[in-house]
């Protein structure tokens, strides 16, 4: 693994190049940076058959990841989450080929563990000692815990309304945790000042180039789990959009290697009606989104009024013939309960939004009956206990239940 397959960083807007051995945040033009690899060398030395004997973690794809020396890898066993058939909810929607990629089984309880594992590992390789970031909850929890494992300091700022468990994960890790009476965008402005004043490593979404490389392993796993066959549709809950950008990047890299054939799956950005800047931009066929004022949704993880990488999300949608869908809170919460009742899976509100979007697109005929459709569940439902309201009868010890 000490062989270097990573080539350089590049700007998708102005094509500037940067060395991966130095710390970099954004391009001088303000755009996020992406990681490029020596695909010719990888094609010669890395074959699908080699995966059979590798560890069941995202590090099985090490040639397509940016960490050069394995001694810098920081891991909690993340990756290779199940791709589950969902026959009952699929029958209910008339999508027999419906599947779920369940990221709720990862360390820290969400897909954010992928970005944290690779981002922290590369930060360690670059000599980072302390990082700072804003978060809606799960990302901060993941980065705080992985930073602790890497013996790295972290400062995390999250909205005061973020899920309590994510606050506790940050606190128990020893992070410097601050709550902000506002949105993630407000937390981001405070972090920007902090980073500048104290020269901290900015781990904000897409302000460091390596979180996306961890997220892209969702796409690599999906392809491997489908025996290198493309699905027809992938639905992704979209806030900052790093996961959707990463999946798109992964599948394009696999195309370049010749591991997959045919058209890329149609990518669907799923947002909540209370915060849908990507949907609004897609409906107008714009290249970037506008700030969404007074955003609010029960799917807290996708409450992002303006994503730094919005142009990359929209580009992925346009290139694959995908779309963007907004779901009302009441519908996604109903879908969360429906998935639990029909499949026994307690998924997060953001993941439930993808199922609600699949139902909506099937009813509209955009998803066809015999297509293979993957809904991404990005976290465990138990991390959002307040989204489920139940009334449970309380019995006295001498009482009996009658039916």
């Amino acid at each position: 693994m000490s062989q270097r397959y990573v080539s350089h960083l590049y700007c998708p807007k102005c094509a500037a190049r940067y060395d991966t051995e130095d710390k970099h945040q954004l391009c001088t033009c303000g755009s996020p940076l992406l990681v490029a690899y020596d695909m010719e060398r990888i094609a010669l030395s890395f074959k699908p058959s080699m995966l059979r004997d590798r560890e069941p973690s995202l590090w099985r794809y090490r040639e397509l990841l940016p960490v050069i020396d394995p001694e810098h890898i920081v891991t909690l066993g993340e990756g290779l989450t199940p791709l589950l058939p969902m026959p009952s909810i699929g029958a209910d929607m008339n999508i027999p080929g419906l599947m779920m990629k369940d990221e709720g089984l990862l360390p820290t309880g969400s897909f954010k563990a992928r970005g944290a594992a690779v981002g922290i590992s590369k930060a360690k390789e670059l000599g980072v000692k302390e990082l700072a970031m804003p978060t809606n909850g799960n990302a901060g929890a993941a980065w705080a815990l992985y930073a602790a494992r890497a013996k790295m300091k972290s400062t995390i700022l999250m909205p005061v309304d973020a899920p309590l468990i994510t606050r506790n994960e940050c606190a128990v890790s020893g992070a410097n945790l601050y709550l902000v009476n506002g949105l993630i965008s407000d937390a981001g402005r405070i972090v920007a000042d902090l980073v500048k004043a104290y020269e901290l490593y900015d781990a904000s979404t897409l302000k460091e180039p390596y979180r996306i490389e961890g997220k892209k392993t969702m796409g690599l796993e999906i392809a491997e789990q489908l025996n290198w066959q493309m699905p027809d549709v992938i639905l992704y809950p979209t806030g900052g959009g790093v996961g959707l950008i990463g999946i798109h990047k992964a599948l394009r890299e696999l195309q370049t290697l010749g591991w997959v054939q045919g058209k890329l799956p149609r990518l669907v950005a799923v947002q909540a009606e209370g915060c849908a800047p990507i949907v609004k931009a897609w409906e107008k066929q714009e290249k970037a989104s506008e700030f969404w004022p007074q955003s609010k949704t029960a799917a807290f993880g996708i409450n992002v009024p303006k994503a730094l990488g919005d142009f990359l999300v929209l580009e992925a949608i346009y290139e694959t013939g995908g779309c963007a869908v907004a779901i009302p809170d009441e519908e996604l919460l109903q879908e969360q309960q429906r998935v639990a009742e029909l499949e026994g899976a307690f998924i997060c509100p953001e993941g439930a939004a993808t199922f609600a979007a699949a139902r909506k697109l099937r009813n509209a005929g955009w998803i066809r009956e015999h297509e293979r459709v993957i809904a991404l569940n990005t976290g465990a439902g138990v991390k959002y206990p307040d989204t489920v309201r139940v009334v449970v009868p309380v019995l006295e010890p001498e009482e009996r239940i009658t039916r």
Side-chain angles (χ1 to χ4, degrees), residues 93 98-100 234-238 268-270 327 332 335 347-361 367 373-378:
M93 295 183 191
L98 182 64
M99 293 173 279
M100 176 177 69
I234 297 177
L235 301 106
Y236 194 85
T238 304
V268 180
V270 182
I327 304 296
L332 67 87
E335 205 69 61
I347 62 178
C348 66
E350 297 84 2
T354 66
F355 283 90
R359 185 181 298 277
K360 184 174 183 177
L361 292 172
I367 290 176
V373 177
I374 297 175
L376 261 293
N377 174 46
T378 49

PDB file of all heavy atoms in Angstrom, residues 93 98-100 234-238 268-270 327 332 335 347-361 367 373-378:
ATOM      1  N   MET A  93     -44.479  -0.062  -3.311  1.00  0.00           N
ATOM      2  CA  MET A  93     -44.241   1.035  -4.254  1.00  0.00           C
ATOM      3  C   MET A  93     -44.328   0.588  -5.714  1.00  0.00           C
ATOM      4  O   MET A  93     -44.202   1.417  -6.610  1.00  0.00           O
ATOM      5  CB  MET A  93     -42.834   1.615  -4.036  1.00  0.00           C
ATOM      6  CG  MET A  93     -42.570   2.283  -2.738  1.00  0.00           C
ATOM      7  SD  MET A  93     -40.871   2.947  -2.781  1.00  0.00           S
ATOM      8  CE  MET A  93     -40.654   3.377  -1.068  1.00  0.00           C
ATOM      9  N   LEU A  98     -36.155  -2.737  -5.709  1.00  0.00           N
ATOM     10  CA  LEU A  98     -35.712  -1.741  -4.734  1.00  0.00           C
ATOM     11  C   LEU A  98     -34.738  -2.356  -3.733  1.00  0.00           C
ATOM     12  O   LEU A  98     -34.978  -3.439  -3.191  1.00  0.00           O
ATOM     13  CB  LEU A  98     -36.918  -1.161  -3.990  1.00  0.00           C
ATOM     14  CG  LEU A  98     -36.628  -0.061  -2.964  1.00  0.00           C
ATOM     15  CD1 LEU A  98     -36.052   1.177  -3.636  1.00  0.00           C
ATOM     16  CD2 LEU A  98     -37.895   0.291  -2.179  1.00  0.00           C
ATOM     17  N   MET A  99     -33.637  -1.647  -3.489  1.00  0.00           N
ATOM     18  CA  MET A  99     -32.621  -2.071  -2.520  1.00  0.00           C
ATOM     19  C   MET A  99     -32.250  -0.891  -1.635  1.00  0.00           C
ATOM     20  O   MET A  99     -32.472   0.270  -1.996  1.00  0.00           O
ATOM     21  CB  MET A  99     -31.378  -2.596  -3.231  1.00  0.00           C
ATOM     22  CG  MET A  99     -31.581  -3.894  -3.994  1.00  0.00           C
ATOM     23  SD  MET A  99     -30.119  -4.349  -4.992  1.00  0.00           S
ATOM     24  CE  MET A  99     -30.384  -3.299  -6.421  1.00  0.00           C
ATOM     25  N   MET A 100     -31.662  -1.203  -0.492  1.00  0.00           N
ATOM     26  CA  MET A 100     -31.189  -0.162   0.419  1.00  0.00           C
ATOM     27  C   MET A 100     -29.726  -0.397   0.761  1.00  0.00           C
ATOM     28  O   MET A 100     -29.342  -1.480   1.184  1.00  0.00           O
ATOM     29  CB  MET A 100     -32.005  -0.149   1.714  1.00  0.00           C
ATOM     30  CG  MET A 100     -31.482   0.858   2.742  1.00  0.00           C
ATOM     31  SD  MET A 100     -32.489   0.961   4.256  1.00  0.00           S
ATOM     32  CE  MET A 100     -32.157  -0.644   5.009  1.00  0.00           C
ATOM     33  N   ILE A 234     -29.931   5.686  -8.333  1.00  0.00           N
ATOM     34  CA  ILE A 234     -29.462   5.808  -6.953  1.00  0.00           C
ATOM     35  C   ILE A 234     -30.033   7.090  -6.383  1.00  0.00           C
ATOM     36  O   ILE A 234     -29.853   8.170  -6.950  1.00  0.00           O
ATOM     37  CB  ILE A 234     -27.923   5.834  -6.856  1.00  0.00           C
ATOM     38  CG1 ILE A 234     -27.314   4.519  -7.373  1.00  0.00           C
ATOM     39  CG2 ILE A 234     -27.478   6.080  -5.413  1.00  0.00           C
ATOM     40  CD1 ILE A 234     -25.801   4.506  -7.376  1.00  0.00           C
ATOM     41  N   LEU A 235     -30.756   6.964  -5.257  1.00  0.00           N
ATOM     42  CA  LEU A 235     -31.345   8.127  -4.586  1.00  0.00           C
ATOM     43  C   LEU A 235     -30.536   8.459  -3.351  1.00  0.00           C
ATOM     44  O   LEU A 235     -30.253   7.581  -2.526  1.00  0.00           O
ATOM     45  CB  LEU A 235     -32.796   7.849  -4.195  1.00  0.00           C
ATOM     46  CG  LEU A 235     -33.749   7.498  -5.336  1.00  0.00           C
ATOM     47  CD1 LEU A 235     -34.083   6.013  -5.299  1.00  0.00           C
ATOM     48  CD2 LEU A 235     -35.028   8.324  -5.261  1.00  0.00           C
ATOM     49  N   TYR A 236     -30.185   9.731  -3.216  1.00  0.00           N
ATOM     50  CA  TYR A 236     -29.280  10.132  -2.142  1.00  0.00           C
ATOM     51  C   TYR A 236     -29.820  11.357  -1.410  1.00  0.00           C
ATOM     52  O   TYR A 236     -30.167  12.357  -2.042  1.00  0.00           O
ATOM     53  CB  TYR A 236     -27.897  10.450  -2.720  1.00  0.00           C
ATOM     54  CG  TYR A 236     -26.844  10.532  -1.648  1.00  0.00           C
ATOM     55  CD1 TYR A 236     -26.221   9.373  -1.204  1.00  0.00           C
ATOM     56  CD2 TYR A 236     -26.521  11.740  -1.059  1.00  0.00           C
ATOM     57  CE1 TYR A 236     -25.287   9.435  -0.182  1.00  0.00           C
ATOM     58  CE2 TYR A 236     -25.592  11.806  -0.038  1.00  0.00           C
ATOM     59  CZ  TYR A 236     -24.979  10.651   0.400  1.00  0.00           C
ATOM     60  OH  TYR A 236     -24.068  10.699   1.410  1.00  0.00           O
ATOM     61  N   PRO A 237     -29.892  11.321  -0.058  1.00  0.00           N
ATOM     62  CA  PRO A 237     -30.339  12.505   0.694  1.00  0.00           C
ATOM     63  C   PRO A 237     -29.249  13.575   0.640  1.00  0.00           C
ATOM     64  O   PRO A 237     -28.110  13.331   1.036  1.00  0.00           O
ATOM     65  CB  PRO A 237     -30.549  11.968   2.113  1.00  0.00           C
ATOM     66  CG  PRO A 237     -29.678  10.765   2.213  1.00  0.00           C
ATOM     67  CD  PRO A 237     -29.573  10.190   0.834  1.00  0.00           C
ATOM     68  N   THR A 238     -29.608  14.745   0.166  1.00  0.00           N
ATOM     69  CA  THR A 238     -28.596  15.730  -0.207  1.00  0.00           C
ATOM     70  C   THR A 238     -28.690  17.002   0.612  1.00  0.00           C
ATOM     71  O   THR A 238     -29.676  17.736   0.549  1.00  0.00           O
ATOM     72  CB  THR A 238     -28.735  16.073  -1.708  1.00  0.00           C
ATOM     73  OG1 THR A 238     -28.656  14.858  -2.462  1.00  0.00           O
ATOM     74  CG2 THR A 238     -27.634  17.016  -2.154  1.00  0.00           C
ATOM     75  N   VAL A 268     -30.259  10.814  -8.106  1.00  0.00           N
ATOM     76  CA  VAL A 268     -31.361  11.639  -7.619  1.00  0.00           C
ATOM     77  C   VAL A 268     -30.946  12.316  -6.316  1.00  0.00           C
ATOM     78  O   VAL A 268     -30.626  11.641  -5.332  1.00  0.00           O
ATOM     79  CB  VAL A 268     -32.632  10.800  -7.391  1.00  0.00           C
ATOM     80  CG1 VAL A 268     -33.767  11.692  -6.878  1.00  0.00           C
ATOM     81  CG2 VAL A 268     -33.048  10.088  -8.677  1.00  0.00           C
ATOM     82  N   ALA A 269     -30.936  13.641  -6.315  1.00  0.00           N
ATOM     83  CA  ALA A 269     -30.683  14.408  -5.097  1.00  0.00           C
ATOM     84  C   ALA A 269     -32.009  14.604  -4.378  1.00  0.00           C
ATOM     85  O   ALA A 269     -32.932  15.218  -4.924  1.00  0.00           O
ATOM     86  CB  ALA A 269     -30.059  15.754  -5.440  1.00  0.00           C
ATOM     87  N   VAL A 270     -32.122  14.076  -3.172  1.00  0.00           N
ATOM     88  CA  VAL A 270     -33.364  14.153  -2.407  1.00  0.00           C
ATOM     89  C   VAL A 270     -33.194  15.185  -1.296  1.00  0.00           C
ATOM     90  O   VAL A 270     -32.267  15.092  -0.496  1.00  0.00           O
ATOM     91  CB  VAL A 270     -33.744  12.785  -1.813  1.00  0.00           C
ATOM     92  CG1 VAL A 270     -35.063  12.891  -1.058  1.00  0.00           C
ATOM     93  CG2 VAL A 270     -33.833  11.730  -2.913  1.00  0.00           C
ATOM     94  N   ILE A 327     -39.194  16.588  -0.594  1.00  0.00           N
ATOM     95  CA  ILE A 327     -40.186  15.787   0.127  1.00  0.00           C
ATOM     96  C   ILE A 327     -40.660  16.546   1.370  1.00  0.00           C
ATOM     97  O   ILE A 327     -39.833  17.008   2.166  1.00  0.00           O
ATOM     98  CB  ILE A 327     -39.582  14.430   0.557  1.00  0.00           C
ATOM     99  CG1 ILE A 327     -39.035  13.667  -0.652  1.00  0.00           C
ATOM    100  CG2 ILE A 327     -40.613  13.594   1.309  1.00  0.00           C
ATOM    101  CD1 ILE A 327     -40.078  13.272  -1.676  1.00  0.00           C
ATOM    102  N   LEU A 332     -41.869  12.109   4.654  1.00  0.00           N
ATOM    103  CA  LEU A 332     -40.659  11.340   4.955  1.00  0.00           C
ATOM    104  C   LEU A 332     -40.786  10.645   6.305  1.00  0.00           C
ATOM    105  O   LEU A 332     -40.280   9.534   6.487  1.00  0.00           O
ATOM    106  CB  LEU A 332     -39.405  12.213   4.860  1.00  0.00           C
ATOM    107  CG  LEU A 332     -39.164  13.352   5.849  1.00  0.00           C
ATOM    108  CD1 LEU A 332     -38.452  12.875   7.100  1.00  0.00           C
ATOM    109  CD2 LEU A 332     -38.340  14.451   5.180  1.00  0.00           C
ATOM    110  N   GLU A 335     -42.904   7.642   5.752  1.00  0.00           N
ATOM    111  CA  GLU A 335     -42.118   6.615   5.065  1.00  0.00           C
ATOM    112  C   GLU A 335     -41.159   5.938   6.029  1.00  0.00           C
ATOM    113  O   GLU A 335     -40.915   4.723   5.939  1.00  0.00           O
ATOM    114  CB  GLU A 335     -41.352   7.234   3.900  1.00  0.00           C
ATOM    115  CG  GLU A 335     -41.010   6.265   2.797  1.00  0.00           C
ATOM    116  CD  GLU A 335     -42.221   5.782   2.015  1.00  0.00           C
ATOM    117  OE1 GLU A 335     -42.921   6.591   1.398  1.00  0.00           O
ATOM    118  OE2 GLU A 335     -42.451   4.547   2.030  1.00  0.00           O
ATOM    119  N   ILE A 347     -34.686   3.379  10.004  1.00  0.00           N
ATOM    120  CA  ILE A 347     -33.761   4.241   9.266  1.00  0.00           C
ATOM    121  C   ILE A 347     -33.884   5.688   9.734  1.00  0.00           C
ATOM    122  O   ILE A 347     -34.832   6.065  10.418  1.00  0.00           O
ATOM    123  CB  ILE A 347     -34.005   4.144   7.748  1.00  0.00           C
ATOM    124  CG1 ILE A 347     -35.413   4.631   7.385  1.00  0.00           C
ATOM    125  CG2 ILE A 347     -33.789   2.708   7.272  1.00  0.00           C
ATOM    126  CD1 ILE A 347     -35.701   4.616   5.886  1.00  0.00           C
ATOM    127  N   CYS A 348     -32.931   6.507   9.367  1.00  0.00           N
ATOM    128  CA  CYS A 348     -32.949   7.910   9.768  1.00  0.00           C
ATOM    129  C   CYS A 348     -33.912   8.706   8.882  1.00  0.00           C
ATOM    130  O   CYS A 348     -34.298   8.250   7.796  1.00  0.00           O
ATOM    131  CB  CYS A 348     -31.541   8.494   9.692  1.00  0.00           C
ATOM    132  SG  CYS A 348     -30.854   8.598   8.016  1.00  0.00           S
ATOM    133  N   PRO A 349     -34.323   9.899   9.304  1.00  0.00           N
ATOM    134  CA  PRO A 349     -35.251  10.706   8.492  1.00  0.00           C
ATOM    135  C   PRO A 349     -34.706  11.030   7.100  1.00  0.00           C
ATOM    136  O   PRO A 349     -35.456  11.043   6.122  1.00  0.00           O
ATOM    137  CB  PRO A 349     -35.434  11.978   9.326  1.00  0.00           C
ATOM    138  CG  PRO A 349     -35.098  11.588  10.721  1.00  0.00           C
ATOM    139  CD  PRO A 349     -34.038  10.527  10.607  1.00  0.00           C
ATOM    140  N   GLU A 350     -33.393  11.273   7.010  1.00  0.00           N
ATOM    141  CA  GLU A 350     -32.799  11.566   5.708  1.00  0.00           C
ATOM    142  C   GLU A 350     -32.908  10.358   4.785  1.00  0.00           C
ATOM    143  O   GLU A 350     -33.222  10.485   3.593  1.00  0.00           O
ATOM    144  CB  GLU A 350     -31.324  11.966   5.883  1.00  0.00           C
ATOM    145  CG  GLU A 350     -31.108  13.234   6.691  1.00  0.00           C
ATOM    146  CD  GLU A 350     -31.105  13.008   8.200  1.00  0.00           C
ATOM    147  OE1 GLU A 350     -31.235  11.848   8.649  1.00  0.00           O
ATOM    148  OE2 GLU A 350     -30.963  13.998   8.933  1.00  0.00           O
ATOM    149  N   GLY A 351     -32.641   9.165   5.330  1.00  0.00           N
ATOM    150  CA  GLY A 351     -32.789   7.945   4.539  1.00  0.00           C
ATOM    151  C   GLY A 351     -34.236   7.722   4.143  1.00  0.00           C
ATOM    152  O   GLY A 351     -34.539   7.297   3.019  1.00  0.00           O
ATOM    153  N   ALA A 352     -35.173   8.027   5.051  1.00  0.00           N
ATOM    154  CA  ALA A 352     -36.593   7.871   4.748  1.00  0.00           C
ATOM    155  C   ALA A 352     -36.999   8.770   3.596  1.00  0.00           C
ATOM    156  O   ALA A 352     -37.874   8.408   2.790  1.00  0.00           O
ATOM    157  CB  ALA A 352     -37.426   8.188   5.989  1.00  0.00           C
ATOM    158  N   ALA A 353     -36.363   9.927   3.495  1.00  0.00           N
ATOM    159  CA  ALA A 353     -36.675  10.842   2.389  1.00  0.00           C
ATOM    160  C   ALA A 353     -36.386  10.198   1.035  1.00  0.00           C
ATOM    161  O   ALA A 353     -37.109  10.439   0.056  1.00  0.00           O
ATOM    162  CB  ALA A 353     -35.883  12.139   2.550  1.00  0.00           C
ATOM    163  N   THR A 354     -35.353   9.354   0.961  1.00  0.00           N
ATOM    164  CA  THR A 354     -35.038   8.712  -0.323  1.00  0.00           C
ATOM    165  C   THR A 354     -36.109   7.692  -0.704  1.00  0.00           C
ATOM    166  O   THR A 354     -36.427   7.534  -1.883  1.00  0.00           O
ATOM    167  CB  THR A 354     -33.657   8.026  -0.294  1.00  0.00           C
ATOM    168  OG1 THR A 354     -33.656   6.929   0.622  1.00  0.00           O
ATOM    169  CG2 THR A 354     -32.555   9.009   0.076  1.00  0.00           C
ATOM    170  N   PHE A 355     -36.666   7.006   0.279  1.00  0.00           N
ATOM    171  CA  PHE A 355     -37.754   6.072  -0.010  1.00  0.00           C
ATOM    172  C   PHE A 355     -39.012   6.829  -0.448  1.00  0.00           C
ATOM    173  O   PHE A 355     -39.715   6.402  -1.369  1.00  0.00           O
ATOM    174  CB  PHE A 355     -38.046   5.197   1.211  1.00  0.00           C
ATOM    175  CG  PHE A 355     -37.045   4.098   1.411  1.00  0.00           C
ATOM    176  CD1 PHE A 355     -35.903   4.304   2.176  1.00  0.00           C
ATOM    177  CD2 PHE A 355     -37.232   2.851   0.828  1.00  0.00           C
ATOM    178  CE1 PHE A 355     -34.969   3.294   2.358  1.00  0.00           C
ATOM    179  CE2 PHE A 355     -36.312   1.831   1.008  1.00  0.00           C
ATOM    180  CZ  PHE A 355     -35.176   2.051   1.769  1.00  0.00           C
ATOM    181  N   ALA A 356     -39.298   7.945   0.227  1.00  0.00           N
ATOM    182  CA  ALA A 356     -40.443   8.763  -0.170  1.00  0.00           C
ATOM    183  C   ALA A 356     -40.260   9.298  -1.587  1.00  0.00           C
ATOM    184  O   ALA A 356     -41.216   9.368  -2.373  1.00  0.00           O
ATOM    185  CB  ALA A 356     -40.633   9.914   0.817  1.00  0.00           C
ATOM    186  N   ALA A 357     -39.017   9.654  -1.922  1.00  0.00           N
ATOM    187  CA  ALA A 357     -38.736  10.142  -3.268  1.00  0.00           C
ATOM    188  C   ALA A 357     -38.898   9.033  -4.300  1.00  0.00           C
ATOM    189  O   ALA A 357     -39.411   9.264  -5.406  1.00  0.00           O
ATOM    190  CB  ALA A 357     -37.318  10.718  -3.334  1.00  0.00           C
ATOM    191  N   ALA A 358     -38.467   7.816  -3.964  1.00  0.00           N
ATOM    192  CA  ALA A 358     -38.642   6.682  -4.877  1.00  0.00           C
ATOM    193  C   ALA A 358     -40.122   6.445  -5.158  1.00  0.00           C
ATOM    194  O   ALA A 358     -40.537   6.216  -6.303  1.00  0.00           O
ATOM    195  CB  ALA A 358     -38.000   5.424  -4.290  1.00  0.00           C
ATOM    196  N   ARG A 359     -40.941   6.512  -4.098  1.00  0.00           N
ATOM    197  CA  ARG A 359     -42.389   6.331  -4.261  1.00  0.00           C
ATOM    198  C   ARG A 359     -42.953   7.415  -5.192  1.00  0.00           C
ATOM    199  O   ARG A 359     -43.755   7.136  -6.103  1.00  0.00           O
ATOM    200  CB  ARG A 359     -43.062   6.399  -2.895  1.00  0.00           C
ATOM    201  CG  ARG A 359     -44.564   6.110  -2.920  1.00  0.00           C
ATOM    202  CD  ARG A 359     -45.158   6.228  -1.515  1.00  0.00           C
ATOM    203  NE  ARG A 359     -44.592   5.274  -0.580  1.00  0.00           N
ATOM    204  CZ  ARG A 359     -45.001   4.012  -0.463  1.00  0.00           C
ATOM    205  NH1 ARG A 359     -45.986   3.559  -1.242  1.00  0.00           N
ATOM    206  NH2 ARG A 359     -44.430   3.205   0.414  1.00  0.00           N
ATOM    207  N   LYS A 360     -42.544   8.646  -4.968  1.00  0.00           N
ATOM    208  CA  LYS A 360     -43.034   9.777  -5.763  1.00  0.00           C
ATOM    209  C   LYS A 360     -42.627   9.635  -7.233  1.00  0.00           C
ATOM    210  O   LYS A 360     -43.448   9.857  -8.143  1.00  0.00           O
ATOM    211  CB  LYS A 360     -42.475  11.081  -5.180  1.00  0.00           C
ATOM    212  CG  LYS A 360     -42.972  12.349  -5.834  1.00  0.00           C
ATOM    213  CD  LYS A 360     -42.469  13.570  -5.064  1.00  0.00           C
ATOM    214  CE  LYS A 360     -43.002  14.863  -5.659  1.00  0.00           C
ATOM    215  NZ  LYS A 360     -42.564  16.045  -4.867  1.00  0.00           N
ATOM    216  N   LEU A 361     -41.380   9.240  -7.472  1.00  0.00           N
ATOM    217  CA  LEU A 361     -40.885   9.112  -8.849  1.00  0.00           C
ATOM    218  C   LEU A 361     -41.478   7.901  -9.553  1.00  0.00           C
ATOM    219  O   LEU A 361     -41.677   7.912 -10.772  1.00  0.00           O
ATOM    220  CB  LEU A 361     -39.353   9.042  -8.837  1.00  0.00           C
ATOM    221  CG  LEU A 361     -38.643  10.338  -8.415  1.00  0.00           C
ATOM    222  CD1 LEU A 361     -37.140  10.097  -8.253  1.00  0.00           C
ATOM    223  CD2 LEU A 361     -38.898  11.457  -9.419  1.00  0.00           C
ATOM    224  N   ILE A 367     -39.382   6.535 -12.488  1.00  0.00           N
ATOM    225  CA  ILE A 367     -38.797   5.215 -12.211  1.00  0.00           C
ATOM    226  C   ILE A 367     -39.733   4.177 -12.810  1.00  0.00           C
ATOM    227  O   ILE A 367     -40.939   4.193 -12.556  1.00  0.00           O
ATOM    228  CB  ILE A 367     -38.633   4.972 -10.698  1.00  0.00           C
ATOM    229  CG1 ILE A 367     -37.532   5.880 -10.124  1.00  0.00           C
ATOM    230  CG2 ILE A 367     -38.290   3.508 -10.416  1.00  0.00           C
ATOM    231  CD1 ILE A 367     -37.367   5.760  -8.608  1.00  0.00           C
ATOM    232  N   VAL A 373     -33.215  -0.093  -8.295  1.00  0.00           N
ATOM    233  CA  VAL A 373     -33.209   1.213  -7.635  1.00  0.00           C
ATOM    234  C   VAL A 373     -32.580   1.077  -6.255  1.00  0.00           C
ATOM    235  O   VAL A 373     -32.956   0.191  -5.479  1.00  0.00           O
ATOM    236  CB  VAL A 373     -34.650   1.754  -7.510  1.00  0.00           C
ATOM    237  CG1 VAL A 373     -34.665   3.081  -6.755  1.00  0.00           C
ATOM    238  CG2 VAL A 373     -35.284   1.909  -8.897  1.00  0.00           C
ATOM    239  N   ILE A 374     -31.629   1.950  -5.935  1.00  0.00           N
ATOM    240  CA  ILE A 374     -30.959   1.913  -4.631  1.00  0.00           C
ATOM    241  C   ILE A 374     -31.264   3.184  -3.860  1.00  0.00           C
ATOM    242  O   ILE A 374     -31.012   4.296  -4.334  1.00  0.00           O
ATOM    243  CB  ILE A 374     -29.438   1.743  -4.790  1.00  0.00           C
ATOM    244  CG1 ILE A 374     -29.122   0.394  -5.457  1.00  0.00           C
ATOM    245  CG2 ILE A 374     -28.739   1.844  -3.427  1.00  0.00           C
ATOM    246  CD1 ILE A 374     -27.662   0.197  -5.763  1.00  0.00           C
ATOM    247  N   ALA A 375     -31.843   3.010  -2.672  1.00  0.00           N
ATOM    248  CA  ALA A 375     -32.075   4.124  -1.751  1.00  0.00           C
ATOM    249  C   ALA A 375     -30.979   4.096  -0.690  1.00  0.00           C
ATOM    250  O   ALA A 375     -30.721   3.053  -0.091  1.00  0.00           O
ATOM    251  CB  ALA A 375     -33.453   4.001  -1.106  1.00  0.00           C
ATOM    252  N   LEU A 376     -30.341   5.224  -0.475  1.00  0.00           N
ATOM    253  CA  LEU A 376     -29.281   5.309   0.531  1.00  0.00           C
ATOM    254  C   LEU A 376     -29.878   5.701   1.876  1.00  0.00           C
ATOM    255  O   LEU A 376     -30.500   6.751   2.015  1.00  0.00           O
ATOM    256  CB  LEU A 376     -28.258   6.367   0.120  1.00  0.00           C
ATOM    257  CG  LEU A 376     -26.968   5.906  -0.559  1.00  0.00           C
ATOM    258  CD1 LEU A 376     -26.091   5.108   0.363  1.00  0.00           C
ATOM    259  CD2 LEU A 376     -27.246   5.173  -1.834  1.00  0.00           C
ATOM    260  N   ASN A 377     -29.716   4.827   2.865  1.00  0.00           N
ATOM    261  CA  ASN A 377     -30.018   5.211   4.239  1.00  0.00           C
ATOM    262  C   ASN A 377     -28.709   5.632   4.884  1.00  0.00           C
ATOM    263  O   ASN A 377     -27.812   4.816   5.075  1.00  0.00           O
ATOM    264  CB  ASN A 377     -30.630   4.066   5.036  1.00  0.00           C
ATOM    265  CG  ASN A 377     -30.799   4.456   6.497  1.00  0.00           C
ATOM    266  OD1 ASN A 377     -31.282   5.535   6.794  1.00  0.00           O
ATOM    267  ND2 ASN A 377     -30.365   3.600   7.400  1.00  0.00           N
ATOM    268  N   THR A 378     -28.607   6.902   5.231  1.00  0.00           N
ATOM    269  CA  THR A 378     -27.312   7.434   5.645  1.00  0.00           C
ATOM    270  C   THR A 378     -27.033   7.347   7.146  1.00  0.00           C
ATOM    271  O   THR A 378     -25.941   7.706   7.578  1.00  0.00           O
ATOM    272  CB  THR A 378     -27.195   8.897   5.195  1.00  0.00           C
ATOM    273  OG1 THR A 378     -28.381   9.607   5.581  1.00  0.00           O
ATOM    274  CG2 THR A 378     -27.049   8.971   3.680  1.00  0.00           C
TER     275      THR A 378
END
